[in-house]
Amino acid sequence: MSIETQISGISVKVYSTSSDASEAVANEITQEITTRDHCVLGLATGGTPVGCYQRLVEQHRNSGLSFADVTTFNLDEYIGLAADHPQSYRAFMQTQLFDHVDVRRERTWIPNGVAEDVSLECTTYESRIREAGGIDLQLLGLGHNGHIAFNEPGSPLESRTRQVELTPETIQKNARFFADDESVPRHAITMGIATILEARRIVMLVTGSSKAAAVSAMVEGPVGVECPASLLRNHPRVQLIVDEAAAGKLDVS
């Protein structure tokens, strides 16, 4: 059971639980894969999309959902972490999704965190997206301060895939995953806001009461770079899927 409305031009669907919201997003991705030849997906990492990926794996195993003709591009990767590092986003995607479906590894693109020339890697990543025909559906999460990917407040609207410096908060949160403070990544490669906005469709999944303020700022606050997610209101096909906790006090009546 969901409530659907439009707020500031964004389609908003509110589900009772995070599980229901994750399933709804998985269904959107499944529909994109099954109705579009050679689908190109933009994918996200972090705790929020894990439930969505679990449901995609279930659909692959139980309903024959095939990823054989799917191409994927991830939003970001830590600089300094090789693909086989357990805390890399490549490792995350392999563990959560890629190892459990029939996607071809050569069609799963994630920035190279140990590229000798980071600037060239960023330029090449943009070229690969264009050569694939662009992203059909981009999956996004939402940061507490309104960031999307590693585009923190103040990131330029015209930004492209580039190297960014991680915030002290992000570095502190990541410290528990590493043996010592010195090994925690300080930089990342991330798709830019302009890159994200070029996707044909954007589906954002947000769960939990801790994100309610960010959701409100995204759809009800001013549009501008101080809340990068608010810039999605400039896109014609954005779907925001949230649980009741993340919806907070949004007027969805």
Side-chain angles (χ1 to χ4, degrees):
M1 189 72 177
S2 65
I3 299 172
E4 185 171 2
T5 189
Q6 288 270 335
I7 304 177
S8 301
I10 291 179
S11 171
V12 181
K13 283 188 175 182
V14 182
Y15 288 84
S16 299
T17 67
S18 60
S19 178
D20 290 342
S22 295
E23 184 173 0
V25 172
N27 289 339
E28 293 292 334
I29 294 173
T30 296
Q31 183 179 27
E32 195 74 28
I33 292 172
T34 55
T35 59
R36 186 185 292 275
D37 292 336
H38 308 295
C39 177
V40 180
L41 298 176
L43 298 179
T45 54
T48 301
V50 168
C52 171
Y53 293 150
Q54 289 173 345
R55 282 153 185 79
L56 290 173
V57 171
E58 290 170 3
Q59 291 187 32
H60 169 70
R61 290 174 175 170
N62 302 328
S63 304
L65 176 65
S66 176
F67 290 75
D69 290 327
V70 172
T71 300
T72 69
F73 289 91
N74 264 76
L75 288 166
D76 36 37
E77 179 60 282
Y78 293 119
I79 289 177
L81 299 192
D84 60 356
H85 191 288
Q87 298 305 324
S88 73
Y89 286 155
R90 164 60 74 176
F92 174 94
M93 291 306 306
Q94 293 297 143
T95 300
Q96 299 298 332
L97 181 64
F98 296 158
D99 284 346
H100 311 291
V101 297
D102 59 342
V103 71
R104 302 175 188 177
R105 176 156 180 139
E106 66 270 18
R107 298 182 71 165
T108 61
W109 296 101
I110 298 175
N112 179 4
V114 292
E116 290 186 10
D117 187 332
V118 173
S119 179
L120 178 60
E121 173 65 15
C122 295
T123 302
T124 302
Y125 204 68
E126 289 278 335
S127 297
R128 287 179 182 139
I129 294 172
R130 288 194 299 272
E131 290 164 3
I135 292 172
D136 296 312
L137 185 154
Q138 176 65 61
L139 174 63
L140 290 179
L142 177 64
H144 291 88
N145 61 359
H147 74 250
I148 49 177
F150 277 126
N151 295 289
E152 298 290 343
S155 297
L157 173 61
E158 66 275 11
S159 57
R160 293 284 178 181
T161 301
R162 66 201 190 283
Q163 176 175 328
V164 294
E165 186 174 350
L166 300 180
T167 65
E169 180 184 14
T170 297
I171 294 170
Q172 183 180 18
K173 286 182 177 179
N174 289 343
R176 68 186 187 277
F177 299 120
F178 295 86
D180 55 74
D181 289 346
E182 293 303 315
S183 60
V184 182
R186 263 60 178 178
H187 298 86
I189 296 172
T190 187
M191 280 191 202
I193 293 173
T195 312
I196 292 169
L197 289 176
E198 285 181 353
R200 294 178 183 88
R201 285 184 65 198
I202 297 173
V203 178
M204 175 180 278
L205 173 62
V206 192
T207 60
S209 59
S210 65
K211 298 290 183 70
V215 168
S216 176
M218 171 185 169
V219 299
E220 297 179 325
V223 175
V225 297
E226 290 312 308
C227 178
S230 70
L231 299 169
L232 299 180
R233 284 151 63 179
N234 296 325
H235 193 284
R237 295 189 68 194
V238 176
Q239 196 169 21
L240 174 62
I241 296 179
V242 301
D243 62 6
E244 288 181 354
K249 296 181 180 179
L250 290 183
D251 183 5
V252 294
S253 56

